[in-house]
Amino acid sequence: MKTVAKFEIGFEQYLDPEGKPTKKLPRTANKEELLKLYRLMTLVRIFDTKAIALQRTGKLGTYASSLGHEAAHAAIGVAMKEKDCLAPMYREYAAQIERGVKMSEILLYWGGDERGSNFSGPAHDFPWCVPIATQYLHAAGAAAAFKYRKEERVAVTVIGDGGTSEGDFYEAINAAGAWQLPFVGVVVNNKWAISVPLEKQTAAETLAQKGVAAGIECVQVDGNDIVAMREVMEKALAKARAGKGPTLIEALTYRLHDHTTADDASRYRSDEEVKAHESKEPLIRLRKYLMEQGWWTEEDEEKLIEECRAEVDEAVSEYQNIEPPGVEDMFDYHFEEITEPLAEQREVAIREARRNG
Amino acid sequence: MAKMTLIDAINMAMAHELENDDRVVVYGEDVGVNGGVFRATIGLQERFGEERVMDTPLAESMIAGMGVGMAAQGLRPVGEIQFSGFIYPGFDQIISHAARLRNRTRGRMTCPLVIRAPFGGGIHAPEHHSESTEALFAHIPGLRTVIPSSPQRAYGLLLAAIRCPDPVIFFEPNRLYRLTKQEVEDNGEALPLDVCFVLREGTDVTLISWAPAMNETLKAAAELEEEGISCEVIDVATIAPLDMETILDSVAKTGRAVIVHEAPRNVGVGAEIAANLAEHGIYDLRAPIQRVTGYDTVMPLAKMEKQYLPSTARIKDAARRTMED
């Protein structure tokens, strides 16, 4: 039999887990940019810890931690332009904060208030998306709109390893390929889809290669290496912006926390496994590199943590001081103009709310 | 003014909006060169180009989901699902996103998406091509569900659906696509999306129907007239939101109601109308409400289709029952 098609998947890494360069770093890995990324990742780490604490004390609903994913998310946020469009899943806080979403809004959402999704980031960014993989199609649709209007904009979307088993994932990358859309799909492979490990999710050697079947460029990257992650994002965005088609990026990372605060990962994975990944997480290696370069000291670290804590505390206090919504909010955003049957029910609900105090 | 079929009117409405609004794009399986399997989009790609009338890969969730994405980013996408029986892979996107995006973002993002699909029985098609599933969609908060049953209403309602700032499920009764012709002026005048149509005035009984069953309902009304039973006929057309006011006004006058739909009886839209009549119009009723519907069975294949669909005879029987003292 003759071979009619062959493929190979490249793997990108610049900083190893010890923070040692594996090759010459790219232009974006300069002091200023790396410090900016380190601050963002640290802020999100502290925010995340605080959000979990709020949930544990009954001040927040179920929350999806981003612990361990910070580099993948921060790189997405930093590489994108404001005019680009992000269709996230639900834990890409670093990307969203970089794009202008307030931490108080993230808390508002997880606190059970829709107003959190009416956030301060770009008005064209999609809200958090719970049904797995559906966001990939929204990004493909957004990319189709940008291409139709001949705008130099890119739609970026994020999914987990489990999500790549969904039909919508494949339908989206397939359409992005068929129409050569300005689309960048990121697969944040954290090895666990709640309790199902990657090896039970797929027989594919990599998740990146799923893009091969869609005929689109695909690459695997060390998602805990912020330098590599950013470089791969920058390239994919530039390519899409130039009208040269979509890219699928598989970012290898590890979910260090439970799936959400409603989950207990100790039921299905060992402490040893988690511990083995703790040393590879993204902040450690960037900090080591920064210190090695002489761009960061213990004092800088302490100062940064203090600043971030203050910023997070302020966001928490903002969140806790937001007036609760009126019951009419439940009705007022279903249609541009409320329908008559709904208007009647709205009156009933307002009356009931008054009665209930 | 040209006489045309319902499917011609659908085509004319899309052409009108493509002509007048750059944001409108038409997309779906086979809608381009082929003009759709029923030819609803015939000539549109030729006239407006491949960028605006797009053949898509064969994937219904993609049609719905990319529609959400395009609509949220400022386009007015008009997607076609080849038959309503193939809409289910797109159901998640329609229910979880199209219907919710405005509410989820408290108005920051909207979803002015139209999903068109041929609908209903009576064309001897294979399995999955003949069901009536309007109740599935009418049940979903944030969605509008519309089913025209004449060329004029098809034109005016599709214009309205495309211009609507919110998502609309637009079912087209394929049995009526070429059944009759009617004069339709390409005047760009949309019809309201929340008002029922009184097609025939009468005094004894109100026949309430929609979609292809409208055909048998109108026939029944004409034949009942000869028996001395005067029927008022309402085409609900805008299934959700439901215009109960028009229906209640009519039943206040006639005191009798027969609801006719092709969909299964159990938890059908007829049940919602009957419940509203009971809640708000029971003192006007002079006879029990009657429902003439499909059976609570799987839609049969072509050979038994006729047994399943509400017939003119069944509608007439139901109307006569309401006239018994």
Side-chain angles (χ1 to χ4, degrees):
Chain A
M1 216 190 302
K2 66 174 181 177
T3 301
V4 292
K6 277 203 270 192
F7 72 89
E8 51 189 37
I9 302 297
F11 173 76
E12 191 65 283
Q13 187 193 52
Y14 286 92
L15 288 181
D16 72 10
E18 293 305 311
K20 297 261 183 292
T22 55
K23 56 183 169 181
K24 187 174 179 292
L25 300 197
R27 175 189 53 83
T28 52
N30 57 56
K31 181 180 174 185
E32 192 190 347
E33 288 296 307
L34 290 180
L35 286 177
K36 182 172 84 178
L37 283 162
Y38 187 68
R39 280 172 202 281
L40 175 60
M41 283 159 51
T42 304
L43 177 67
V44 170
R45 176 73 56 93
I46 288 168
F47 169 76
D48 202 74
T49 310
K50 184 74 190 181
I52 292 165
L54 288 171
Q55 191 279 332
R56 299 297 189 224
T57 51
K59 292 170 187 143
L60 194 69
T62 297
Y63 170 79
S65 160
S66 74
L67 189 69
H69 309 73
E70 294 89 349
H73 299 162
I76 293 167
V78 168
M80 286 175 73
K81 291 189 196 295
E82 199 273 346
K83 66 181 178 178
D84 296 332
C85 170
L86 179 64
M89 39 184 278
Y90 42 73
R91 57 170 115 243
E92 295 76 35
Y93 312 122
Q96 291 181 306
I97 290 168
E98 176 64 19
R99 288 178 69 69
V101 177
K102 291 183 183 173
M103 289 184 284
S104 58
E105 292 163 340
I106 299 170
L107 294 172
L108 196 58
Y109 172 73
W110 291 108
D113 189 328
E114 285 87 347
R115 292 176 301 174
S117 285
N118 186 10
F119 48 57
S120 308
H124 53 263
D125 273 10
F126 285 90
W128 291 285
C129 182
V130 178
I132 303 297
T134 53
Q135 72 278 9
Y136 254 54
L137 282 169
H138 306 158
F146 301 155
K147 183 170 176 162
Y148 172 74
R149 288 194 297 254
K150 300 185 168 55
E151 295 167 342
E152 287 190 344
R153 298 168 69 186
V154 185
V156 177
T157 187
V158 188
I159 200 168
D161 38 307
T164 65
S165 300
E166 291 272 9
D168 277 9
F169 166 76
Y170 181 69
E171 290 189 23
I173 59 174
N174 183 62
W179 288 348
Q180 286 298 291
L181 298 176
F183 169 98
V184 176
V186 182
V187 179
V188 179
N189 176 0
N190 68 17
K191 312 295 192 294
W192 287 93
I194 305 189
S195 68
V196 179
L198 184 63
E199 59 270 21
K200 284 191 184 166
Q201 199 66 242
T202 179
E205 291 167 274
T206 70
L207 300 178
Q209 75 200 54
K210 294 193 175 197
V212 174
I216 71 177
E217 185 181 339
C218 37
V219 61
Q220 194 184 62
V221 55
D222 184 337
N224 288 345
D225 169 5
I226 185 71
V227 176
M229 189 62 212
R230 174 162 189 185
E231 184 65 7
V232 165
M233 274 306 296
E234 295 275 0
K235 277 185 182 158
L237 283 161
K239 177 187 164 187
R241 215 181 300 286
K244 291 178 180 163
T247 305
L248 185 69
I249 298 167
E250 178 190 6
L252 298 180
T253 182
Y254 188 81
R255 196 192 80 209
L256 287 169
H257 197 261
D258 301 329
H259 166 67
T260 65
T261 51
D263 177 39
D264 173 9
S266 70
R267 290 168 56 82
Y268 51 79
R269 67 180 186 188
S270 67
D271 284 349
E272 293 74 51
E273 182 189 311
V274 179
K275 282 211 169 63
H277 282 280
E278 274 172 359
S279 60
K280 297 175 194 161
E281 62 93 347
L283 272 77
I284 294 175
R285 80 176 70 177
L286 180 56
R287 188 163 55 239
K288 280 183 176 167
Y289 177 77
L290 292 174
M291 284 180 162
E292 187 65 30
Q293 301 303 304
W295 296 344
W296 199 246
T297 62
E298 289 296 341
E299 293 77 56
D300 291 332
E301 180 75 13
E302 276 167 34
K303 189 160 161 274
L304 174 63
I305 288 172
E306 235 170 80
E307 284 166 7
C308 290
R309 279 197 184 133
E311 206 178 320
V312 168
D313 286 346
E314 202 185 309
V316 171
S317 122
E318 202 178 313
Y319 156 65
Q320 288 177 325
N321 287 312
I322 292 170
E323 285 291 316
V327 71
E328 63 276 7
D329 254 35
M330 183 157 65
F331 296 88
D332 288 349
Y333 301 97
H334 279 70
F335 301 101
E336 186 177 69
E337 208 174 311
I338 194 164
T339 62
E340 217 166 290
L342 208 49
E344 284 171 26
Q345 294 177 20
R346 182 180 186 271
E347 292 311 307
V348 173
I350 290 171
R351 235 179 11 247
E352 286 299 307
R354 273 193 211 120
R355 190 163 68 171
N356 300 337
Chain B
M1 216 185 315
K3 272 201 151 188
M4 63 177 68
T5 61
L6 192 150
I7 197 164
D8 292 337
I10 296 277
N11 183 280
M12 191 164 83
M14 281 188 278
H16 191 278
E17 291 309 279
L18 281 162
E19 182 70 48
N20 289 289
D21 187 346
D22 285 346
R23 298 171 303 174
V24 175
V25 294
V26 170
Y27 69 108
E29 297 155 12
D30 304 296
V31 303
V33 179
N34 198 32
V37 292
F38 282 102
R39 311 287 175 258
T41 54
I42 198 158
L44 296 181
Q45 190 180 68
E46 233 173 347
R47 190 168 154 199
F48 298 101
E50 281 182 45
E51 285 179 359
R52 303 195 62 200
V53 182
M54 304 175 275
D55 279 318
T56 65
L58 205 168
E60 287 77 15
S61 187
M62 187 228 76
I63 292 173
M66 282 185 69
V68 171
M70 287 191 278
Q73 301 300 328
L75 296 189
R76 292 283 171 132
V78 182
E80 178 177 302
I81 299 287
Q82 206 152 70
F83 278 90
S84 64
F86 304 144
I87 207 167
Y88 310 117
F91 215 38
D92 185 19
Q93 289 286 353
I94 293 168
I95 294 176
S96 303
H97 296 300
R100 290 176 176 225
L101 197 57
R102 180 189 288 277
N103 182 66
R104 178 179 295 141
T105 60
R106 287 298 185 254
R108 178 171 64 83
M109 287 186 127
T110 60
C111 189
L113 167 68
V114 179
I115 300 280
R116 297 175 39 247
F119 175 89
I123 59 160
H124 311 297
E127 196 183 355
H128 309 296
H129 290 64
S130 305
E131 287 77 5
S132 292
T133 52
E134 69 275 19
L136 299 181
F137 296 89
H139 190 66
I140 304 305
L143 270 191
R144 289 174 189 274
T145 304
V146 178
I147 317 175
S149 64
S150 80
Q152 285 173 2
R153 290 193 292 284
Y155 177 76
L157 288 172
L158 185 52
L159 288 183
I162 298 172
R163 293 172 194 171
C164 181
D166 292 301
V168 180
I169 303 300
F170 195 86
F171 286 134
E172 299 166 4
N174 48 45
R175 177 148 52 97
L176 307 186
Y177 264 159
R178 295 183 170 84
L179 194 71
T180 51
K181 286 189 174 183
Q182 203 178 27
E183 286 191 342
V184 187
E185 194 184 342
D186 192 8
N187 57 10
E189 280 177 25
L191 289 165
L193 286 177
D194 53 2
V195 181
C196 293
F197 299 88
V198 178
L199 302 186
R200 183 185 173 113
E201 295 201 4
T203 51
D204 294 328
V205 53
T206 304
L207 307 183
I208 303 148
S209 189
W210 56 92
M214 219 50 243
N215 188 47
E216 285 65 37
T217 303
L218 282 165
K219 263 191 203 150
E223 292 174 22
L224 286 164
E225 185 78 48
E226 289 169 19
E227 293 178 21
I229 300 175
S230 165
C231 296
E232 182 136 308
V233 178
I234 294 177
D235 176 9
V236 177
T238 56
I239 309 298
L242 188 58
D243 166 25
M244 273 311 297
E245 202 180 316
T246 301
I247 297 170
L248 282 163
D249 284 352
S250 175
V251 174
K253 183 171 72 173
T254 62
R256 298 177 186 88
V258 176
I259 305 162
V260 185
H261 59 69
E262 277 191 17
R265 168 174 303 219
N266 185 43
V267 207
V269 173
E272 179 62 26
I273 294 172
N276 270 289
L277 284 171
E279 279 179 19
H280 306 293
I282 199 153
Y283 298 119
D284 295 322
L285 285 169
R286 296 160 66 181
I289 299 162
Q290 299 290 311
R291 280 186 287 164
V292 182
T293 68
Y295 300 108
D296 292 336
T297 66
V298 171
M299 178 82 196
L301 296 186
K303 278 196 179 153
M304 267 199 294
E305 193 172 37
K306 208 174 159 190
Q307 309 302 323
Y308 176 91
L309 298 173
S311 65
T312 304
R314 277 171 67 198
I315 300 166
K316 280 157 62 181
D317 283 350
R320 288 189 199 110
R321 277 199 297 280
T322 66
M323 298 298 288
E324 288 166 7
D325 283 320

